[in-house]
């Protein structure tokens, strides 16, 4: 198989995508929201986080109110226009030359009481048609109002973009800064995927909410308040009627959302399971083939697929009920208002334009109400995201460096462990009373079965972890009396999991020392026997290493990290020999380069090569996290202990074992 | 895309027709409502005829109810159709991929196939869902709206000629501009995420080289870049909605103005103006929605193409028309002048490979990385077919055997120990459903996995997460070995399966394995010389995929330079002896 599995499981953990629908505002809203543990507290904190943006945020509110005010004025102005037109028509029907009062009196005399009352409430000049000058004036105002509404809406969005982006920028920066101060323990105890998702998905989620939902909420509230004012100013009675019907929309929405949530959860779960099954079936294709499991794999797929179908159909259908239901309620509202309004227009209590404006307002009322109901859901998941980000920001940081640090000059590389005690967790002591004396230039080989905890020593030396008791000294100075940065500069590290970043080969080698010249970089590459290889690449030292540096082999990567260590020119080395996946020739180069690097330097080698181990001055044998034996090859062989077994097993072949 | 839609919608044509019918009813009712409104105002409110208002209002409520019923029914069917469509398409792809050979699978690559089976189907499903609502509804509303507007007032309807193109162009312009802008944000987000990922993975290195400041700067640059881009894009996008609102509202103002003249001249009743305005708004909204749909189409089209590519791939390795089976099954594997090159590759990976293995004997394959060791063993279960020569098992060309029977006889432990989600027992029984617990434990014991399985809570029933991530590399390898052992095949193939084990476990495992597989053919690919030193024959490959030498360790040490090089790179001289 030629695909990179590990990369797969990171990237392809195919989460069901959020369906952003074009139809029905309720869809996204009906997604299940994760609940925050402390909703109030986190919300408060998030608001506090917005504080530096208080001024622009205030502007956003002002702009929103202005925009909404103008938007809300529009139907009223249209109503006036209608009145103007209506008055014109009515005026035309009345004989010219009489006054309005005369006309009313005449109508009353003819028994047309209702019409008379209606006209009395209107601006009518008998015999005269529509006053187009007046209409033009009204419409000019309308144009101005519309333009202003649009203008302020734009300003509001424009300003909010700044608020949102600046806040998120700060959030990302703070998280990044925090990550630099967290002890390695945090990294070792939390899956990278989890940390990454806090920094990326959760922050993006917050960004989106800040950009979209906050303005929507402000907007919705402004609209509800504004519309209510307008409605009551037109007709308190009609408003009361509407206020009975409209909350029903809210109830319907809430009801449907609650109903559909469980199906959305089911949809997420089942889609996740299905995608997982697809992923493992495709990546493990040859295993399925050679074990003849196609039928069973298909059978399981069909079952999972059916579950996805069931859940997504129901989720889709139920959430799509919101719209027609609300439309229906809106129409009921409309008819009722028409009836009651009609009666009132007839009796002259209200104008025709007034009824029309009222209808428009009542239509505007439901939308924000439904919107707020949906945003609450989105807000919940945002707060949950914020909580996770804040949790990270609250993690305990590394113990600060000592106040009067000792700076070692001319490091010789004399490393001493004196009565060192260490454990990752309090109840499981790992290293007890360890003593080790490594003279300058000596090589320490750390050996042991897989998972024996060989990296523990590295963690302690580099002060990635703090020891519980005792002390570790370099040239007689306790490492805790140095600044961490100074301490780490003494060390050079070549690990088996070669870490190279997305950048050129030159930059990657130069990582070893700030401000290295090209000559130094090339010299380091040459020392690590990788110069030749680099020059065979089309772009040479400017070759960009892809993510996970998949364009060069594992062996070459290790050589590059050796070059990096050469450039850093450390006094003490930590080396991790590769176990496998390196071809013969590169393997020889790596061995040679490592040997060269070790020369004259105190070295700690996590060793897999017997030749390295045998040549070491001190061998530390580790098992189950503990150091169980210590000495040189001859001593340990003579002791006939764990090391002896380990060493002899190298030659333990079935044939020879039978003979022995 | 058309073919794909037709194929997968065909089984649901009745429901599709029904949905379209329901949408038609909805469109008509939607269009009818404003004219009822107009009637209420013209004949009821304006004339103060309460009876009329109640009568028409009642009728309007009935229409509304009908509308709601139709809307719910149509969304029932459109949900059902689109989700069925997605389900069927997913099934078709998955079933197809299960017939693929490894070569077919490699052509796409698993990640791409996963995307095709999930996201691409999702895209198509979304298109169908929206299509069944919007694509049908938008033109219906648009045409219907024009007709109704004409009915209200023909002269005033001429405004539509101006309004529709203006609206369409505006929406089109916004969409064309917005898509690349959003993409530019995505690129920056990816960059920030990538740096973050690198920093998490390399935290030890960063701290060891004391490069925190540099890393902080690197991240800050990407962060700043993302912020500026997003800000710029969002500020451009902020113009979109207000502009569209201005267009819509200005149209309304113009219509009121010109409508006013029509009303004054008596050419149009006043209630029609409101109705007319409603129709114009409907037309404009449906144009916006339709344009939004058009943005989806190219994306869905790309998905459709990718899906069709999978569905149209014929599996390259199939059962023979007339399968032959060997008379006697013993497990003799014979390579005769085998040549192999990957599809499309210029040079062959393997050439002139001939050897024979017999039951009870161990054949090892060694050579430097990339020389084709894994490829060689992958030919045996026909993950790929040879491009020259032949491979025979018990005298029969494997291409003449039924695939199922061929693979039943092979126990493969792949390089990347791949475990499936489920329990440990599920995984072990993968090749033999009927294995008893005792058999499983025995296999675990041979594979040196008994100890750690015993320690896990739940033991055999302990869960295995997807990809086996809850086990270490060495544990996964041992479980994969146990899985092959449970199958009890005649031919074992170990593809560099001991690499994650330490010397001791490696040696113990090989010792136990030897006893277990006395009657089986063993083929072992290895990196470590110590793993294979005692093999009955060692096949050493050259870098160009030819055989450098075949023989025992001692023979090769004398005759084969390539083998000697490999040995000396790994062992010191005394150890070799």
């Amino acid at each position: 198989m030629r695909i990179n599995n590990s990369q797969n499981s990171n990237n392809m953990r195919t989460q069901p995508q959020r369906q952003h629908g074009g139809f029905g505002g309720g869809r996204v809203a009906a997604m299940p929201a994760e609940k925050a543990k402390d909703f109030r507290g986190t919300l408060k904190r998030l608001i506090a986080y917005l504080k530096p943006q208080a001024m622009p945020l205030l502007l956003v509110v002002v702009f929103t109110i202005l925009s909404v005010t103008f938007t809300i004025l529009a139907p009223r102005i249209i109503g006036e226009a209608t009145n103007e037109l209506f008055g014109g028509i009515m005026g035309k029907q009345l004989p010219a030359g009489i006054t309005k009062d005369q006309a009313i009196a005449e109508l009353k005399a003819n028994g047309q009481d209702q019409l008379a009352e209606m006209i009395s409430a209107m601006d009518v000049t008998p015999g005269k048609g529509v006053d187009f000058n007046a209409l033009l004036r009204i419409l000019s105002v309308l144009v101005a109002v519309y333009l202003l509404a649009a203008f302020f809406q734009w300003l509001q969005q424009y300003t909010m973009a700044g608020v949102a982006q600046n806040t998120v920028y700060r959030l990302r920066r703070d998280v990044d800064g925090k990550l630099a101060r967290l002890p390695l323990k945090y990294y070792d105890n939390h899956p990278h995927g989890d940390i990454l998702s806090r920094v990326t998905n959760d922050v993006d989620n917050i960004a989106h909410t800040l950009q979209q939902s906050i303005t929507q909420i402000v907007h919705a509230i402004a609209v509800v308040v504004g519309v209510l004012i307008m409605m009551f100013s037109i007709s308190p009675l009609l408003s009361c009627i509407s206020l009975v019907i409209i909350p029903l929309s809210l109830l319907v929405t809430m009801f449907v959302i609650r109903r559909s949530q469980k199906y959305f959860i089911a949809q997420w779960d089942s889609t996740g399971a299905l995608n997982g099954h697809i992923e493992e079936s495709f990546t493990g294709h040859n295993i399925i083939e050679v074990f003849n499991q196609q039928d069973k794999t298909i059978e399981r797929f069909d079952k999972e697929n059916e579950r996805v179908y069931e859940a997504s159909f129901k989720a889709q259908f139920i959430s799509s009920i919101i719209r027609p239901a609300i439309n229906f309620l809106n129409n009921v509202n409309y008819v009722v208002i028409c009836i009651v309004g009609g009666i009132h227009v007839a009796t002259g209590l209200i104008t025709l334009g007034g009824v029309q404006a009222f209808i428009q307002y009542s239509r505007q009322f439901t939308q924000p109400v439904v919107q707020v109901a949906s945003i609450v859901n989105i807000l919940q998941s945002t707060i949950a995201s914020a909580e996770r980000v804040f949790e990270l920001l609250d993690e305990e940081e590394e113990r600060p460096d000592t106040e009067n640090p000792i700076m070692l000059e001319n490091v010789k590389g004399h490393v001493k462990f004196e009565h060192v005690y260490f454990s990752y967790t309090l109840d499981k002591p790992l290293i007890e009373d360890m003593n080790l004396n490594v003279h300058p230039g000596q090589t320490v080989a750390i050996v042991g079965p897989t998972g024996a905890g060989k990296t523990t020593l590295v963690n302690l030396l580099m002060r990635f972890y703090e020891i519980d008791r005792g002390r570790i000294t370099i040239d007689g100075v306790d490492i805790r009396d140095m600044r961490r940065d100074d301490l780490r500069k003494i060390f050079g590290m070549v690990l088996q999991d070669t870490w190279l970043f997305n950048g050129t080969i030159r930059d990657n080698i130069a990582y070893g020392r700030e401000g290295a010249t090209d000559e130094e970089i090339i010299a380091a590459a040459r020392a690590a026997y990788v110069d030749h290889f680099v020059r065979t690449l089309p772009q040479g030292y400017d070759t960009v290493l892809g993510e996970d540096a998949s364009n060069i082999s594992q062996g070459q990567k290790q050589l590059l990290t050796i070059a990096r260590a050469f450039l850093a020119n450390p006094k003490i080395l930590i080396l991790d020999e590769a176990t496998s996946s390196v071809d013969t020739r590169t393997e020889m180069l790596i061995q040679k380069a490592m040997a060269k690097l070790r020369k004259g330097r105190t070295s700690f080698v996590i060793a897999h090569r017997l030749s390295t181990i045998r040549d070491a001055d001190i061998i530390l044998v580790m098992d189950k996290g503990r150091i169980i034996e210590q000495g040189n090859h001859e001593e340990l062989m003579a002791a006939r202990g764990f090391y002896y077994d380990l060493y002899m097993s190298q030659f333990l072949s079935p044939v020879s074992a039978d003979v022995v | 895309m058309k073919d794909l839609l037709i194929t997968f919608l065909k089984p649901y044509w009745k429901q599709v027709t029904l949905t379209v019918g329901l949408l038609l009813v909805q469109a008509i009712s939607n269009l009818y409502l404003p004219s009822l409104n107009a009637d209420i105002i013209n004949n009821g409110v304006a004339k103060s005829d309460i009876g009329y208002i109640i009568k028409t209002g009642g009728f309007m409520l009935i229409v509304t109810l009908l509308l709601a019923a139709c809307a719910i029914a149509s969304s029932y069917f459109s949900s059902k159709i689109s989700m069925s469509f997605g389900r069927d398409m997913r099934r078709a792809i998955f079933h197809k991929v299960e017939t693929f050979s490894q070569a077919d699978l490699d052509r796409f690559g698993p990640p791409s196939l996963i995307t095709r089976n999930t996201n691409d189907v999702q895209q198509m499903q979304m298109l169908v869902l929206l299509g069944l609502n919007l694509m049908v509804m938008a033109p219906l509303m648009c045409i219907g709206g024009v007709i109704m507007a004409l009915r209200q007032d023909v002269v005033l309807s001429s405004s539509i000629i101006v309004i529709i193109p203006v609206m369409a162009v505006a929406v089109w312009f916004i969409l064309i501009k917005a898509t690349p802008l959003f993409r530019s944000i995505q690129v920056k987000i990816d960059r920030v995420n990538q740096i973050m990922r690198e920093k998490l993975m390399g935290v030890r290195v960063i701290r060891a080289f004391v490069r925190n400041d540099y890393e902080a700067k690197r991240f800050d640059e990407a962060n700043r870049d993302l912020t500026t881009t997003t800000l710029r894009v969002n500020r451009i996008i902020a113009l979109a909605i207000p502009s569209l609102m201005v267009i819509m509202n200005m149209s309304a103002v113009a219509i009121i103005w010109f409508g006013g003249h029509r009303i004054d001249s008596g050419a149009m009743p006043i209630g029609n103006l409101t109705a007319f305005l409603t129709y114009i708004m409907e037309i404009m909204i449906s144009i916006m929605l339709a344009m939004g749909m058009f943005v989806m189409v190219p994306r869905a089209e790309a998905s459709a193409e990718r899906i069709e590519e999978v569905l149209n791939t014929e599996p390259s390795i199939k059962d023979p028309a007339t399968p032959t089976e060997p008379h006697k099954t013993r497990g003799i594997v014979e390579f005769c002048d085998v040549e192999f090159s990957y599809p499309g590759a210029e040079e062959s990976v393997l050439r002139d490979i001939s050897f024979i293995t017999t039951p009870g004997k161990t054949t090892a394959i060694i050579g430097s990385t990339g020389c084709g060791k894994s490829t060689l063993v992958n030919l045996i279960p026909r993950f790929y077919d040879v491009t020259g020569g032949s491979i025979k098992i018990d005298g029969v060309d494997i291409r003449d055997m039924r695939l199922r029977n061929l693979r039943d006889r092979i126990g493969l432990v792949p390089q990347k120990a791949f475990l499936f989600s489920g329990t440990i027992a599920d995984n072990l029984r993968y090749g033999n459903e009927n294995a008893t617990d005792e058999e499983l434990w025995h296999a675990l014991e041979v594979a040196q996995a008994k100890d750690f399985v015993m320690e896990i809570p739940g033991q055999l029933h302990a869960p295995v997460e997807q990809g086996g991530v809850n086990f270490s590399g060495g544990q996964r390898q041992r479980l994969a070995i146990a899985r092959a052992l449970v199958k009890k095949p005649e031919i074992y193939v170990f593809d560099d399966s001991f690499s994650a084990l330490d010397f001791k476990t490696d040696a113990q495992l090989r010792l136990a394995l030897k006893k277990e597989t006395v009657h089986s053919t063993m083929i072992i690919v290895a990196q470590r010389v110590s793993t294979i030193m005692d093999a009955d024959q060692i096949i050493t490959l050259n870098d160009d995929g030819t055989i450098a030498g075949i023989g025992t360790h001692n023979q090769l040490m004398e005759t084969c330079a390539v083998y000697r090089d490999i040995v000396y790179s790994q062992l010191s001289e005394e150890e070799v002896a």
Side-chain angles (χ1 to χ4, degrees), chain A residues 129-367:
Chain A
V130 176
D131 179 356
F132 280 100
N133 281 331
L135 185 63
L136 188 65
R137 266 198 312 277
I138 293 169
L139 289 185
S140 304
V141 174
L142 186 59
V143 167
V145 161
Y146 275 143
L147 285 177
L148 281 171
F151 175 69
F152 283 115
Q153 194 185 4
W154 172 68
L155 270 186
Q156 166 224 329
Q157 290 283 334
Y158 186 93
T159 318
M160 196 61 211
V163 174
Q165 288 313 311
N166 283 324
T167 308
V168 173
Y169 168 79
R170 262 193 307 133
L171 198 56
R172 277 203 201 93
R173 194 193 54 198
D174 289 356
V175 168
D176 183 57
K178 180 75 188 189
L179 286 176
R181 293 189 304 273
L182 283 175
L184 262 158
K185 198 176 183 172
Y186 182 81
Y187 291 89
D188 290 344
N189 293 343
H190 293 79
H192 286 175
D194 175 62
I195 305 176
L196 194 64
S197 118
R198 286 173 202 241
V199 187
T200 56
N201 300 348
D202 285 335
V203 171
D204 286 347
N205 193 8
I206 296 169
H208 198 258
T209 302
L210 286 182
Q211 180 70 49
Q212 298 286 326
S213 310
I214 288 197
T215 47
Q216 277 176 359
I217 290 179
V218 177
H219 181 86
I221 293 171
V223 169
V224 168
V225 173
V227 163
L228 270 179
I229 293 172
M230 294 311 274
M231 279 164 57
F232 273 94
S233 76
I234 293 170
S235 164
L237 178 68
L238 290 182
S239 306
C240 291
I241 294 170
S242 285
L243 279 184
V244 175
I245 294 171
I246 289 163
L248 279 177
S249 323
L250 195 62
L251 285 180
V252 169
T253 314
M254 297 298 236
F255 178 75
V256 174
I257 287 181
R258 200 160 301 151
R259 275 270 143 137
S260 61
Q261 280 225 347
K262 90 171 181 225
Y263 293 111
F264 271 112
I265 291 169
Q267 186 187 5
W268 273 65
D269 288 351
S270 58
T271 308
L274 180 76
N275 289 357
H277 182 62
I278 292 175
E279 189 183 327
E280 70 176 3
S281 302
F282 288 0
T283 36
H285 186 74
N286 53 3
I287 304 294
I288 294 172
E289 279 196 310
V290 83
F291 283 91
N292 281 322
Q293 292 289 313
Q294 288 97 332
D295 293 346
K296 267 192 126 177
T297 311
I298 285 176
E299 196 183 300
R300 188 169 146 200
F301 173 86
D302 286 347
K303 219 191 289 165
E304 304 270 16
N305 195 19
E306 199 62 34
R307 273 182 55 215
V308 172
Y309 160 75
E310 288 288 339
S312 49
F313 161 63
K314 281 182 186 143
Q316 182 60 45
F317 171 59
I318 292 181
S319 63
S320 70
I321 289 175
I322 296 182
R323 247 173 88 92
I326 284 173
N327 271 343
F328 177 71
L329 286 173
N330 264 340
N331 280 322
V332 171
N333 184 41
Y334 181 92
V335 171
V336 175
I337 287 168
C338 269
I339 294 170
V340 181
I343 297 168
H344 283 254
V345 172
T347 55
L349 264 174
I350 186 174
T351 61
L352 179 60
V355 174
Q356 281 186 313
F358 189 89
I359 288 170
Q360 289 233 24
Y361 285 127
S362 66
R363 289 225 148 145
Q364 282 183 24
F365 195 80
T366 38
Q367 202 215 346

Side-chain angles (χ1 to χ4, degrees), chain A residues 457-470:
Chain A
L457 278 184
V458 181
N459 284 338
L460 299 186
L461 277 172
M462 300 279 261
R463 228 184 131 199
F464 288 145
Y465 281 77
E466 304 282 349
I467 55 173
D468 298 335
R469 262 204 281 165

Side-chain angles (χ1 to χ4, degrees), chain B residues 187-202:
Chain B
V187 171
K188 311 277 183 191
I189 290 182
D190 290 347
R191 173 85 187 133
V192 166
N193 292 356
Q194 184 207 358
I195 293 183
M196 202 26 105
R197 202 157 42 230
E198 277 178 2
K199 291 178 67 154
L200 289 177
M201 310 266 276

Side-chain angles (χ1 to χ4, degrees), chain B residues 8 60 115 124 212 294 379 409 421 430 544:
Chain B
F8 283 94
M60 202 179 133
T115 315
M124 294 295 291
N212 264 332
F294 280 122
L379 295 175
R409 308 175 58 187
S421 54
Y430 210 61
D544 64 353

